[in-house]
Amino acid sequence: MSDFFSETVKRLTPYIPGEQPKDGVYIKLNTNESPYPPSPNAISALKNADFEKLRLYPDPECVSLRNTYANYLGVSSENVFVGNGSDEVLATAFQTFFAGKNNVLMPNISYSFYPVYCNLYNVRATEIPLKDWRVVCDDYCVANNGVIIANPNAPTGVGVSCAEIENLLKNNPQSVVLIDEAYVDFGGQSAVGLVKDFDNVLVIRTLSKSYGLAGLRVGFAVGGKKLIEGMNTVKNSFNSYPVDFLAQLAAEEAIKDVDYLNQTTSKIIATRERTALRLKNLGFNVLDSSANFLFIIHKEIDAGFLFNYLKQNKILVRWFSDPKIKNGLRISIGTDFDMEKFCDIIANALEAFR
Amino acid sequence: MSDFFSETVKRLTPYIPGEQPKDGVYIKLNTNESPYPPSPNAISALKNADFEKLRLYPDPECVSLRNTYANYLGVSSENVFVGNGSDEVLATAFQTFFAGKNNVLMPNISYSFYPVYCNLYNVRATEIPLKDWRVVCDDYCVANNGVIIANPNAPTGVGVSCAEIENLLKNNPQSVVLIDEAYVDFGGQSAVGLVKDFDNVLVIRTLSKSYGLAGLRVGFAVGGKKLIEGMNTVKNSFNSYPVDFLAQLAAEEAIKDVDYLNQTTSKIIATRERTALRLKNLGFNVLDSSANFLFIIHKEIDAGFLFNYLKQNKILVRWFSDPKIKNGLRISIGTDFDMEKFCDIIANALEAFR
């Protein structure tokens, strides 16, 4: 039976996403979703959609959506690629720029999907250790066939400055540098402004986090025209119509509603800072986050114990099996109510452990 | 700059889908969409959706949708894989079963995306000629590392019987046989009933044609549990959440509404037969179609001339650049009104040519 499979399948170890419980009794702080619904304008576009149009294929080139996003970012629509969530966009970028190459640099602690893409597309990565939980951009200014970093990084939440990214690009003119900005709207510094000056940078974005649209599946890449053309060649050899009619419609309205984005991200940032303070007071090492989550470590108490204690109390957080981060937990930022409840229960956990 | 790209990109020639004009003035008979809207139950599920739930990731495993489709087909949900349209499902199947292999058999005239997937996944195909426009299954009972046929075939519309497929499976126990049934609901014979007896068959289905849901992007693979597990390994190394929340919701309701499917496909079949008769009377060779389109050839009149004449008269049909079928046109079946208009205009074209 195994001969039915290609060699590709035989080398794969799939990504494992955070649990999506179906019963709704949990406070879900495990997949970095927004605690707030999407923009009311996006919802109203969906409610008033001409559903009979679903009989037709969607625009394969997402022209209107790309124009809207380009306009929001201050780039040209030729600089924008759209996909079925930023995971698909990342996969397409790995296939377009890195497939079959060796010495592609990435942090040794980062989004755990990157090594999975490496297996899928036969990429040999060189992992660069974090220093004091930080990505040090200078460490990536060495010979390489590509670079990917997440800014802010996951699951640490720690960001790097735009000046550091600029220096990284200057020192890597020969290779493509992917900057995964899934969490940038929560206080990170974006590299989008560098796209006009550097032909080797590709910035990956998503509506799943800051826009409260994880269920819609829309992600973007923003980069030089030639890089985007390469991405389109791969996309059009894979699936002509990756973004459905309703997703294109709602995404546009969400992007136009900049006020709502600012309101919800500001609330999440304020909640994050309050939560971080309380966790520090409880004795946790709380990494300095520019994302919608916190990475926390307790010197004395096993992360697995805390994870299970929280789960028994109907709170889901993320605990990774990677030994490098096995002593920490990633906590998505929910509403103030969610986070007070979370802090109360984790305080109880500390008591229970002692 | 080209060094930025992987070797994969350098060997690609993307698929070119039929035109999707944005102005709505055309009668669109070029991409095999349904002329009828999706099931009213699907539309009403969308209208009444809890749009606030879009903040959450969709079910990565599409459990409920898979159960519904399995139930409809009389298989187990372990036999069902869901993807973002059947093109994505086909691509995943090529990657799972055929990547890197040689001597994968396919008809020399078929869905023009298959050779594109071969380039993307480094598959070397062996093309088997049609005989009198028909796929002859016995021709595929030779040494191979995989088989793919479309049943009914595209762009010819000609189908093969379930008995022929069964014989093909019996004679290929060592290789995976993909049967692409995108158009099966318009009078084809399905191989789904063979899944319980053969571990080497994978049937690909879509909601884009007979369900009037091209804009929603939902496709399926149905096959043995081991084959589906392999597909899931690839899918989970690519994109954990390929099918969005609204697509899962509406797809389920569409599948449950079997009456509506039967009504609309019956109407399309009746229109197809009326159209075929009129075209034969106009002197066309009309292939015997079990699909929602007709492939027509006129001995005397250039297909390019007809294509352009129709387009000038605001009717879009499909004319392929492949020299083997360059003398034919593929005409999607619209409403009776659409097809009468089409026949009137093509009759005028014949007059104009003479």
Side-chain angles (χ1 to χ4, degrees):
Chain A
M1 165 63 77
S2 69
D3 282 334
F4 282 170
F5 296 131
S6 67
E7 292 302 318
T8 307
V9 179
K10 295 174 193 169
R11 66 174 183 251
L12 295 179
T13 308
Y15 175 77
I16 298 163
E19 200 179 335
Q20 293 291 122
K22 283 169 198 73
D23 55 14
V25 301
Y26 287 89
I27 294 180
K28 252 189 114 274
L29 308 177
N30 68 330
T31 51
N32 297 341
E33 291 143 335
S34 175
Y36 303 111
S39 154
N41 298 355
I43 291 182
S44 137
L46 289 170
K47 281 190 176 150
N48 300 311
D50 179 359
F51 293 108
E52 302 212 344
K53 273 202 177 159
L54 284 168
R55 75 177 184 85
L56 300 172
Y57 281 98
D59 176 7
E61 295 175 344
C62 302
V63 171
S64 183
L65 174 56
R66 278 168 48 234
N67 284 339
T68 299
Y69 201 55
N71 190 44
Y72 165 66
L73 294 178
V75 299
S76 152
S77 67
E78 289 173 333
N79 299 119
V80 177
F81 176 90
V82 193
N84 182 34
S86 67
D87 284 343
E88 181 179 272
V89 176
L90 280 164
T92 306
F94 268 74
Q95 196 172 16
T96 305
F97 306 114
F98 300 157
K101 295 185 181 177
N102 61 17
N103 198 28
V104 170
L105 309 184
M106 60 182 64
N108 71 335
I109 298 170
S110 194
Y111 184 29
S112 52
F113 223 134
Y114 303 155
V116 177
Y117 297 134
C118 287
N119 280 334
L120 189 64
Y121 298 119
N122 204 19
V123 180
R124 283 154 312 281
T126 302
E127 294 194 343
I128 310 277
L130 299 190
K131 286 181 181 155
D132 193 21
W133 296 104
R134 294 183 173 271
V135 170
V136 177
C137 285
D138 283 351
D139 294 349
Y140 298 75
C141 298
V142 293
N144 68 69
N145 293 312
V147 174
I148 177 158
I149 66 171
N151 184 34
N153 196 19
T156 61
V158 180
V160 297
S161 72
C162 194
E164 288 169 279
I165 301 280
E166 186 168 358
N167 190 52
L168 172 62
L169 296 174
K170 276 186 187 152
N171 282 281
N172 281 287
Q174 83 298 340
S175 63
V176 175
V177 177
L178 304 188
I179 311 289
D180 181 353
E181 295 189 350
Y183 300 104
V184 78
D185 290 330
F186 302 101
Q189 291 188 26
S190 177
V192 161
L194 300 171
V195 163
K196 65 179 189 309
D197 296 322
F198 293 90
D199 65 359
N200 62 329
V201 64
L202 192 82
V203 179
I204 316 284
R205 295 281 197 109
T206 180
L207 301 190
S208 297
K209 313 296 184 183
S210 52
Y211 288 85
L213 280 169
L216 197 68
R217 317 308 303 123
V218 179
F220 298 93
V222 186
K225 194 181 151 189
K226 282 281 168 194
L227 299 190
I228 299 298
E229 279 172 11
M231 299 273 288
N232 278 320
T233 300
V234 171
K235 173 252 174 193
N236 288 321
S237 299
F238 173 75
N239 186 359
S240 308
Y241 311 98
V243 184
D244 74 51
F245 169 67
L246 298 172
Q248 292 189 39
L249 195 75
E252 264 199 74
E253 295 309 313
I255 291 159
K256 285 180 190 161
D257 195 352
V258 180
D259 284 349
Y260 187 79
L261 175 72
N262 291 339
Q263 281 163 33
T264 48
T265 52
S266 299
K267 277 201 280 189
I268 290 164
I269 291 168
T271 306
R272 179 186 73 207
E273 294 309 306
R274 270 192 294 274
T275 306
L277 191 62
R278 192 158 166 209
L279 289 167
K280 282 175 191 168
N281 289 337
L282 287 170
F284 283 93
N285 176 18
V286 181
L287 302 188
D288 189 20
S289 172
S290 310
N292 69 336
F293 56 83
L294 292 169
F295 192 77
I296 66 171
I297 300 161
H298 200 287
K299 266 185 198 156
E300 295 153 34
I301 303 179
D302 180 62
F305 169 81
L306 294 173
F307 173 83
N308 287 318
Y309 191 98
L310 288 162
K311 190 164 181 181
Q312 277 157 20
N313 286 278
K314 302 297 177 198
I315 296 183
L316 285 178
V317 301
R318 195 81 198 266
W319 179 40
F320 296 91
S321 59
D322 179 345
K324 295 189 291 297
I325 49 175
K326 217 175 161 311
N327 59 345
L329 293 175
R330 192 195 68 187
I331 318 294
S332 308
I333 302 301
T335 61
D336 278 328
F337 176 87
D338 293 340
M339 300 321 286
E340 275 169 37
K341 180 93 178 163
F342 162 77
C343 288
D344 290 346
I345 288 174
I346 209 163
N348 293 345
L350 299 184
E351 286 302 318
F353 191 82
R354 271 157 190 155
Chain B
M1 165 65 76
S2 68
D3 282 333
F4 282 171
F5 296 131
S6 66
E7 292 302 317
T8 306
V9 180
K10 295 173 193 170
R11 67 173 182 251
L12 295 179
T13 309
Y15 175 77
I16 298 163
E19 200 180 336
Q20 292 292 123
K22 282 168 198 74
D23 57 13
V25 301
Y26 287 89
I27 295 180
K28 251 189 115 274
L29 308 177
N30 69 330
T31 51
N32 297 342
E33 291 143 337
S34 175
Y36 303 111
S39 154
N41 298 354
I43 292 182
S44 123
L46 289 169
K47 280 189 176 150
N48 299 310
D50 179 359
F51 293 108
E52 300 213 345
K53 272 203 179 159
L54 284 168
R55 73 177 184 86
L56 300 172
Y57 281 97
D59 176 7
E61 296 176 344
C62 301
V63 171
S64 183
L65 173 55
R66 279 168 48 232
N67 283 337
T68 298
Y69 200 56
N71 190 46
Y72 165 67
L73 294 177
V75 298
S76 152
S77 67
E78 288 174 334
N79 299 118
V80 177
F81 175 91
V82 193
N84 183 36
S86 67
D87 284 344
E88 181 179 272
V89 175
L90 280 164
T92 305
F94 268 74
Q95 197 172 15
T96 305
F97 306 114
F98 300 158
K101 294 184 180 176
N102 61 17
N103 197 28
V104 171
L105 309 184
M106 60 181 65
N108 71 335
I109 298 170
S110 195
Y111 183 30
S112 53
F113 223 134
Y114 304 155
V116 177
Y117 297 134
C118 287
N119 280 335
L120 189 62
Y121 299 119
N122 203 19
V123 179
R124 282 152 316 278
T126 302
E127 294 194 344
I128 311 276
L130 298 190
K131 286 181 181 155
D132 193 23
W133 297 104
R134 293 182 175 272
V135 170
V136 178
C137 286
D138 284 351
D139 293 350
Y140 299 75
C141 299
V142 294
N144 67 70
N145 294 312
V147 175
I148 177 157
I149 65 171
N151 184 33
N153 197 19
T156 61
V158 181
V160 297
S161 72
C162 194
E164 288 170 278
I165 301 279
E166 185 168 358
N167 190 52
L168 172 62
L169 296 175
K170 274 184 188 154
N171 283 281
N172 281 286
Q174 83 300 339
S175 63
V176 176
V177 178
L178 305 188
I179 311 289
D180 181 353
E181 296 190 349
Y183 301 105
V184 78
D185 290 328
F186 303 101
Q189 291 188 26
S190 177
V192 160
L194 301 171
V195 164
K196 66 180 187 309
D197 296 322
F198 293 90
D199 64 359
N200 61 329
V201 64
L202 192 83
V203 179
I204 316 284
R205 296 282 196 107
T206 181
L207 301 191
S208 296
K209 312 297 184 181
S210 52
Y211 288 86
L213 280 169
L216 197 67
R217 317 307 303 122
V218 179
F220 297 94
V222 186
K225 193 181 151 188
K226 282 281 169 195
L227 300 190
I228 299 299
E229 279 173 10
M231 299 273 288
N232 278 320
T233 299
V234 171
K235 173 251 173 195
N236 288 320
S237 298
F238 173 75
N239 187 358
S240 308
Y241 311 97
V243 184
D244 73 51
F245 169 68
L246 298 172
Q248 292 190 38
L249 195 75
E252 263 199 76
E253 295 309 315
I255 291 160
K256 286 180 190 161
D257 195 353
V258 180
D259 284 349
Y260 186 79
L261 175 72
N262 291 338
Q263 280 163 34
T264 49
T265 53
S266 299
K267 278 201 282 189
I268 290 165
I269 291 168
T271 307
R272 178 186 74 207
E273 295 309 307
R274 273 192 293 274
T275 307
L277 191 62
R278 194 162 164 206
L279 289 166
K280 281 174 191 170
N281 289 337
L282 287 169
F284 283 93
N285 176 19
V286 181
L287 302 188
D288 188 18
S289 172
S290 310
N292 68 337
F293 56 84
L294 293 168
F295 191 77
I296 65 171
I297 301 159
H298 201 287
K299 266 185 198 154
E300 295 155 34
I301 303 180
D302 181 62
F305 170 80
L306 294 173
F307 173 83
N308 287 317
Y309 191 98
L310 288 162
K311 190 165 180 179
Q312 278 156 22
N313 286 278
K314 302 295 179 200
I315 296 183
L316 284 178
V317 300
R318 196 81 198 265
W319 179 40
F320 296 92
S321 58
D322 179 346
K324 294 188 292 298
I325 49 174
K326 216 174 159 319
N327 59 346
L329 293 175
R330 192 196 66 187
I331 317 295
S332 309
I333 302 301
T335 61
D336 278 327
F337 176 88
D338 293 341
M339 301 321 287
E340 277 170 35
K341 180 93 178 165
F342 162 78
C343 289
D344 291 346
I345 288 174
I346 209 162
N348 293 345
L350 299 184
E351 287 302 319
F353 192 82
R354 271 158 189 154

